[in-house]
Amino acid sequence: MSIVWRISSRYFLSRKSQRVTNFISALAVIGITAGTAAMIIILSVLNGFEGLIKDLYNKFDPDISITSSTDRFFKPDEAYIQQILNLKEVAAISKVYEDQALLSYNGKQYVGTIKGVDEKFILVCNLSSICNSTKVDWGSYENPKIILGSGIAYHLQVDEKNAISSIDLYAPLQEASNLTDPINSFNKLPVALSNVFSIQQDYDQRYALVSLPTAHQLFGINDSTISKYEVRLKPGVDFNQVIASIKSIKPNQYNIATQAQLHQTLYNIMQAEKWIVIFITAFILLIASFSLVSAISMLIIEKSKDVSIFSTMGSSRLQLQKIFFLNGLFIAIGGMFLGLAIGLTTIWVQKKYGLVGLGVEGNFIIEAYPVDLMWSDVGIVILVVIGIGIITSAFPALTLIGKNFSLNKLNKVQ
């Protein structure tokens, strides 16, 4: 261990002769501790909300969505479906037909997206986990049923348990030429309410689910036309490898999008929010670290006699600067470890017991703030704190023991 390191560590561990120096040093440690703990906790809360949103989307959205590169609607290719199912990473594939329709119930009307799905949809979408009732009933061709998003059910004021009449669906016929003639241009299909699902506000207010034959019946389609394939993958597979395999089957005929690509804008916003939070908390931490500048400055003034002795014994200006620079770095690192300990403990307690609630009443998906620790965030926090510690420690060390440093002047200040 070098003499510089030993002297610096001794200064850090020993009690200062001036109370104000001890007070400012303690204040610096508290500021860095609080800033570090706040940064790691806030980032974990953001991760928790991001993970919650992704989990909600994952319950309804497929891992991969496949649409035609040329047409909005197309006829399914059974050979193509089988080739996808032959991939070992694929768990299920469903045929889907989506289009806009008018829903009417007891004088209330609402325009939503009718999503017609085949029998494989329950393998792609965890439907039972998002519905009020775990029973999924699509009815029959003669007596079709519908599963409404909770937002649509609210707008129509339809009660799942006390639906007194059927819900009427209106959709323009594919071959309609004059939409001003509603009798001949629109198809009406009464359906019974089967269930209500709740995922996320955007989806709850947009989608209503029916069977694929019911969707064809509503939109006046006599063949097996669909708008897309929805694919569910097995857990832990490589998405890029699966996409490459699917693209190689028919490279130019289909557009392939992952769940992340379907919500690319939202995910980009969440990442931008995270970096904004990092910069804001780092700036607050930098301000809180100004007390570290004062602590090092007071220490240099207090140890001016020691500096004189070291200088007389042949210590260079750089060695003297390193002594106080390392002392400031020790304070910063000490505060950082305390902050990490407090932050990680808080995250563990919140995740296990949910002590801090959202503070609102009602039927919400969660009752407490979600948290999710990512070790990459811990690395970012460590780099930020050490970076700020280097800056705030170097400034007084280089300034007060600079090129034109005078020991006599420092002694007079003391």
Side-chain angles (χ1 to χ4, degrees), residues 300 317-318 320-321 395-406:
I300 293 174
R317 185 181 70 253
L318 181 60
L320 297 176
Q321 290 172 338
F395 179 75
L398 296 175
T399 303
L400 296 182
I401 307 181
K403 185 175 181 180
N404 300 318
F405 172 68
S406 172

Side-chain angles (χ1 to χ4, degrees), residues 54-71:
K54 288 182 178 180
D55 287 341
L56 292 176
Y57 282 138
N58 193 55
K59 290 180 179 179
F60 190 82
D61 287 337
D63 291 324
I64 295 176
S65 177
I66 304 175
T67 57
S68 172
S69 58
T70 56
D71 301 310

Side-chain angles (χ1 to χ4, degrees), residues 220-251:
I221 299 172
N222 297 321
D223 54 27
S224 57
T225 300
I226 62 173
S227 56
K228 61 181 175 180
Y229 302 111
E230 293 189 345
V231 180
R232 177 65 66 186
L233 302 180
K234 295 177 182 178
V237 301
D238 187 346
F239 271 61
N240 294 329
Q241 182 179 350
V242 176
I243 291 175
S245 299
I246 295 177
K247 283 183 177 179
S248 65
I249 299 174
K250 291 188 177 181

Side-chain angles (χ1 to χ4, degrees), residues 151-167:
I152 298 179
Y154 173 80
H155 283 285
L156 294 178
Q157 296 184 4
V158 55
D159 187 352
E160 179 185 359
K161 297 180 180 178
N162 300 302
I164 59 176
S165 61
S166 62
I167 301 169

Side-chain angles (χ1 to χ4, degrees), residues 41 64 66 69 98 127 147 168 187 227 255 276 298 354 395:
I41 291 172
I64 295 176
I66 304 175
S69 58
E98 283 187 16
L127 199 57
I147 300 177
D168 293 328
N187 188 32
S227 56
N255 294 324
I276 289 172
M298 292 298 298
F395 179 75

Side-chain angles (χ1 to χ4, degrees), residues 116-300:
V117 299
D118 65 1
E119 66 280 359
K120 301 295 183 180
F121 184 71
I122 57 175
L123 301 177
V124 175
C125 169
N126 191 5
L127 199 57
S128 60
S129 67
I130 61 176
C131 288
N132 294 346
S133 173
T134 56
K135 183 180 179 181
V136 178
D137 183 10
W138 301 111
S140 62
Y141 189 83
E142 293 78 15
N143 299 294
K145 293 185 178 182
I146 190 171
I147 300 177
L148 294 179
S150 58
I152 298 179
Y154 173 80
H155 283 285
L156 294 178
Q157 296 184 4
V158 55
D159 187 352
E160 179 185 359
K161 297 180 180 178
N162 300 302
I164 59 176
S165 61
S166 62
I167 301 169
D168 293 328
L169 305 181
Y170 296 89
L173 297 174
Q174 296 293 325
E175 65 275 8
S177 58
N178 185 10
L179 295 181
T180 59
D181 182 8
I183 296 178
N184 298 318
S185 300
F186 287 83
N187 188 32
K188 176 184 175 181
L189 180 66
V191 294
L193 180 62
S194 170
N195 216 324
V196 175
F197 71 83
S198 179
I199 310 171
Q200 190 262 356
Q201 184 177 9
D202 182 42
Y203 282 11
D204 297 343
Q205 294 181 350
R206 185 195 309 176
Y207 285 108
L209 306 178
V210 297
S211 67
L212 189 58
T214 301
H216 289 159
Q217 183 181 0
L218 171 63
F219 293 101
I221 299 172
N222 297 321
D223 54 27
S224 57
T225 300
I226 62 173
S227 56
K228 61 181 175 180
Y229 302 111
E230 293 189 345
V231 180
R232 177 65 66 186
L233 302 180
K234 295 177 182 178
V237 301
D238 187 346
F239 271 61
N240 294 329
Q241 182 179 350
V242 176
I243 291 175
S245 299
I246 295 177
K247 283 183 177 179
S248 65
I249 299 174
K250 291 188 177 181
N252 301 320
Q253 189 170 340
Y254 296 100
N255 294 324
I256 301 172
T258 64
Q259 187 178 121
Q261 291 171 332
L262 293 174
H263 304 287
Q264 188 66 49
T265 302
L266 176 62
Y267 291 166
N268 289 340
I269 291 174
M270 288 191 293
Q271 287 299 315
E273 287 177 344
K274 187 172 182 179
W275 282 108
I276 289 172
V277 167
I278 291 175
F279 285 124
I280 292 175
T281 52
F283 180 72
I284 295 174
L285 184 60
L286 178 62
I287 295 175
S289 300
F290 283 165
S291 56
L292 182 58
V293 177
S294 301
I296 301 302
S297 301
M298 292 298 298
L299 182 63
I300 293 174

